[in-house]
Amino acid sequence: MVNEDVFETVKTKEASLPERTAEQISRLIREKQLTGEDKLPSEFELAELLHVGRGTIREGVKLLVARNVLEIRRGKGTYIAPNPGEIPDPLGFTYYPDQLRLAMDLVEIRGQMEPWVARMAAEHATAEDIQRLRESCSVVEQDILSERDHSENDVLFHVAIAKCTQNLVVPKLIPIITYAVKLFVSLTERRLRMETIVGHRDMLEAISAGDGRRAEQAMAQHIEYNRAMLQDIAGQLKKEDGGGE
C-alpha cells in the first residue's frame, strides 16, 4: 500500500481533474522509483489515495498510456512502460515531405553529437556495458550477413553506446538518432553493409579498450560514410530529374 503522506489530494489543485490525477500518478512513479517490471497500484487503491472516483483514475491512466508512461497488459493489469515518456518519433520526422533532405540534416547533427558520445562511452563503459555492446554488434553483423533488415538492431547498437556513457541525458536523445539510422538504412537500401560491420567493430574495439580518441574517430568515420552515401544519392536524383526535363 502506498503511503498517503507522500501525496497531496488532487482536488486541491487547479486544472482538469483527470490531468491532475495523471500528474499525481506520475509523481507516484517517480517517488517510488517504479520501473517497467512494476505493476501500478490497483484502481481502488489509487482512488482511495487521491480521493477521487475510480472513473477519474481510469481517465488519468488513459492519459498516461497515451504518453507512453503506462501500458495495460491484458489479463495482468497496468504496468509502468519500459521507457516511460519516450515515443518513437517525438519530433514528427515521419511527416517531413523531403526525407532525403531530412536525412542530410540529421547526419549533420549526428556528426556533431555521436563522436562525443562514443568518446564518453569509451571513458565510462563498465565491463557489463561492453559485453552488451559486443552482443549488440554481433546481432547486427548476423542480420547483415544473412541479408536481413538490420535497421532495428543497428538502432539498438547505438542505444548501447549511449548507455555506456553513464550520462542520464544521452540515452534520452536516442529517439533522434534512432530515426536517423532507420531513415539512412531505408534510403541507401542497405548498400553500406560491410562498411557498417567494419565501423561497428572499430567502435566496439575502441570502447572496449577505453580509448576515447579512437572511439571518437571511429564514430566520425562511420558517420562520414553515411554522409557521402547520402550525397551520392542526392546527386543521382538530381541527374535523373535533370534528364527528365
Side-chain angles (χ1 to χ4, degrees), residues 3 18-19 27 106 125 149:
N3 186 347
E19 283 284 355
R27 185 178 170 189
L106 282 169
D149 181 1

Side-chain angles (χ1 to χ4, degrees), residues 63-108:
L63 289 172
L64 294 177
V65 168
R67 297 167 189 169
N68 197 40
V69 174
L70 298 174
E71 63 178 22
I72 297 173
R73 301 180 187 176
R74 185 170 298 178
K76 295 183 178 181
T78 303
Y79 286 77
I80 316 305
N83 297 296
E86 292 185 12
I87 56 177
D89 184 17
L91 302 181
F93 287 150
T94 302
Y95 300 99
Y96 278 58
D98 190 342
Q99 290 286 291
L100 181 57
R101 164 71 185 279
L102 175 62
M104 294 293 291
D105 287 350
L106 282 169
V107 84
E108 292 294 332

Side-chain angles (χ1 to χ4, degrees), residues 69-208:
V69 174
L70 298 174
E71 63 178 22
I72 297 173
R73 301 180 187 176
R74 185 170 298 178
K76 295 183 178 181
T78 303
Y79 286 77
I80 316 305
N83 297 296
E86 292 185 12
I87 56 177
D89 184 17
L91 302 181
F93 287 150
T94 302
Y95 300 99
Y96 278 58
D98 190 342
Q99 290 286 291
L100 181 57
R101 164 71 185 279
L102 175 62
M104 294 293 291
D105 287 350
L106 282 169
V107 84
E108 292 294 332
I109 300 299
R110 292 184 65 197
Q112 294 296 315
M113 182 169 67
E114 287 196 83
W116 172 81
V117 171
R119 174 185 281 273
M120 290 285 289
E123 294 175 354
H124 298 283
T126 65
E128 185 178 349
D129 290 330
I130 292 170
Q131 180 58 33
R132 281 197 298 264
L133 188 60
R134 191 177 304 280
E135 292 169 357
S136 181
C137 183
S138 177
V139 170
V140 176
E141 288 191 19
Q142 291 170 24
D143 281 346
I144 292 174
L145 295 174
S146 300
E147 298 187 349
R148 295 190 296 265
D149 181 1
H150 66 278
S151 59
E152 290 291 342
N153 287 320
D154 199 325
V155 165
L156 294 178
F157 178 77
H158 286 268
V159 170
I161 291 175
K163 289 182 177 179
C164 287
T165 66
Q166 312 305 324
N167 184 296
L168 294 177
V169 177
V170 170
K172 298 297 182 182
L173 301 177
I174 289 302
I176 297 174
I177 298 174
T178 295
Y179 193 89
V181 170
K182 289 183 178 179
L183 179 56
F184 176 79
V185 172
S186 173
L187 288 170
T188 61
E189 299 177 343
R190 300 186 287 280
R191 277 183 270 180
L192 287 179
R193 290 177 294 182
M194 294 313 298
E195 289 85 352
T196 296
I197 289 176
V198 172
H200 283 195
R201 285 180 182 176
D202 287 346
M203 285 181 273
L204 171 61
E205 291 173 7
I207 292 170
S208 299

Side-chain angles (χ1 to χ4, degrees), residues 23-34:
E23 175 53 36
Q24 292 291 5
I25 294 172
S26 294
R27 185 178 170 189
L28 180 151
I29 293 168
R30 296 192 299 270
E31 294 282 347
K32 297 299 181 182
Q33 298 182 359
L34 302 179

